Amino acid sequence: MRFRHPDGSTVHLAYCTNVHPAETLDGVLAQLRDHCEPVRRRLGRDRLGIGLWLARDAAHALVTDPAALRALRTELDRRGLEVVTLNGFPYEGFGAEEVKYRVYTPDWADPARLEHTTALARVLAGLLPDDVTDGSISTLPLAWRTAHDATRAQRARTALRTLAERLDAIEELTGRSLRIGLEPEPGCVVETTRDAIAPLTAVGHHRIGVCVDTCHLATSFEDPHTALDALTAARVPVVKSQLSAALHAEHPHLPEVREALAAFAEPRFLHQTRTATPAGLRATDDLDEALAGHALPDAAPWRAHFHVPLHAAPAAPLTSTLPVLKAALARLVGGPAPLTHHLEVETYTWQALPPELRPKGRAQLAEGIAAELTLARDLLTDLGLKELP
């Protein structure tokens, strides 16, 4: 979905396909048929943006076979779909029964991460619509914190500089300008947008910026205006933003609130949980850890890294951080010029929701994704953007 900003530029809205498990190119093609096109039809649009997630095997198949890449591009066009952004965070196995910490490997100190992201960039250059020159890829924020030391930090910086050089070469060859956004996430080396400034300044290249995930922003209790002002002041580009909402518990000391939270503690994904105290943030790596005994103070609200559907906040006594998303979006695209032109709805946790909230089959999932995109569209038009055909 495309929108015209009052400054005349185009803002792209997509939804991320990491909600649909697929590791191979055949799996990606099936996603387009079984999920993406049905969402487009539900929205009544001739064109729908998707933020493709390409696992290692799928990316390798596309980058080594020009005919396969052309076939994917043809299939996107045929189904009324377009790609301006990729989710390069998960490497493989994102549809596994247990993902947890595995999603952070390989990290940016591992050569496999550089090679995979380079492959994604080459693929994206071939998938961009004919009238679009700028593409974006989100990636993990360097590493999970426990796997990082000074030596690995230096390797990561070197890898990012090498990637920037490769992106320069891709633009020279194809005319397509691609950028990478480190996606701050709780528990990682770059947990907050503030944490991103120093390493990105050290890398010092305009092609390497941040991807602002509004669920992660909220989970870390960052104020959107403060965060985005700091990035702007540091001249760190916002390459893309993922529009997502975290789980919020206003009164975590109450038994009924803990019982409601326990329904969201599940075995597949990591749900980092945070609370703001006078002494600073207190944290656990997962929601079940927070609920066990007194691992986390419960005198103030908790927020958990659980991407809840934008249009359907959890039932009381829980809610979502949709207000943080709205404040961030207003700052991102509500001003005289957009801070980013790439927006992506990223609720990948539909099948990890408590059983009574999970979609029952493809049709309900498509309906839910369409409802999220409708909400995002309405927020954008309320900010003065005009939806394009």
Side-chain angles (χ1 to χ4, degrees), residues 195-216:
D195 295 335
I197 292 173
L200 290 177
T201 302
V203 171
H205 201 289
H206 72 281
R207 294 201 186 274
I208 315 294
V210 297
C211 167
V212 175
D213 183 304
T214 59
C215 169
H216 303 171

Side-chain angles (χ1 to χ4, degrees), residues 37-100:
E37 187 177 9
V39 170
R40 178 182 66 75
R41 291 186 182 281
R42 281 184 178 272
L43 289 166
R45 307 295 302 156
D46 292 334
R47 174 172 54 189
L48 175 67
I50 57 171
L52 267 186
W53 172 59
L54 298 172
R56 177 194 63 177
D57 289 349
H60 180 74
L62 289 165
V63 82
T64 55
D65 184 353
L69 183 57
R70 287 194 298 271
L72 175 57
R73 172 68 187 275
T74 298
E75 189 71 358
L76 288 165
D77 292 342
R78 187 169 77 86
R79 298 194 181 278
L81 306 169
E82 66 177 12
V83 175
V84 303
T85 188
L86 299 180
N87 185 332
F89 196 136
Y91 181 73
E92 61 185 353
F94 201 61
E97 290 185 10
E98 182 178 334
V99 179
K100 298 291 184 181

Side-chain angles (χ1 to χ4, degrees), residues 5 168 216 239 290 300 328 355 381:
H5 189 274
D168 284 343
H216 303 171
V239 170
T381 55

Side-chain angles (χ1 to χ4, degrees), residues 174-388:
T174 68
R176 303 300 176 88
S177 178
L178 308 179
R179 295 190 299 168
I180 306 296
L182 303 187
E183 183 183 329
E185 176 163 316
C188 292
V189 173
V190 176
E191 170 154 340
T192 65
T193 56
R194 179 174 306 211
D195 295 335
I197 292 173
L200 290 177
T201 302
V203 171
H205 201 289
H206 72 281
R207 294 201 186 274
I208 315 294
V210 297
C211 167
V212 175
D213 183 304
T214 59
C215 169
H216 303 171
L217 192 79
T219 301
S220 294
F221 286 87
E222 287 197 83
D223 174 73
H225 296 285
T226 302
L228 293 168
D229 284 349
L231 291 174
T232 301
R235 298 186 178 180
V236 172
V238 180
V239 170
K240 67 187 276 191
S241 179
Q242 288 172 326
L243 306 182
S244 53
L247 192 61
H248 180 96
E250 187 69 18
H251 302 294
H253 65 284
L254 296 176
E256 61 268 29
V257 175
R258 285 178 173 258
E259 182 180 354
L261 283 169
F264 288 84
E266 52 83 39
R268 187 168 171 189
F269 299 113
L270 209 57
H271 301 297
Q272 303 92 314
T273 305
R274 302 287 184 266
T275 186
T277 75
L281 278 189
R282 292 284 300 276
T284 61
D285 282 354
D286 215 342
L287 181 55
D288 55 0
E289 296 173 25
L291 292 168
H294 301 285
L296 206 61
D298 59 8
W302 287 3
R303 289 177 179 173
H305 172 217
F306 194 119
H307 290 223
V308 296
L310 303 187
H311 67 292
L318 304 178
T319 187
S320 83
T321 60
L322 185 62
V324 177
L325 183 160
K326 291 179 177 178
L329 190 62
R331 182 71 178 84
L332 285 165
V333 300
L339 297 184
T340 185
H341 290 87
H342 291 177
L343 305 172
E344 179 181 70
V345 170
E346 196 215 12
T347 305
Y348 58 83
T349 43
W350 284 94
Q351 299 304 334
L353 289 166
E356 68 276 8
L357 301 179
R358 291 175 200 163
K360 310 290 192 295
R362 290 178 189 166
Q364 281 194 12
L365 178 59
E367 184 179 340
I369 293 169
E372 289 193 292
L373 286 166
T374 297
L375 182 148
R377 178 197 65 195
D378 291 347
L379 291 177
L380 290 172
T381 55
D382 286 349
L383 289 169
L385 283 74
K386 180 183 178 182
E387 188 176 7
L388 298 174

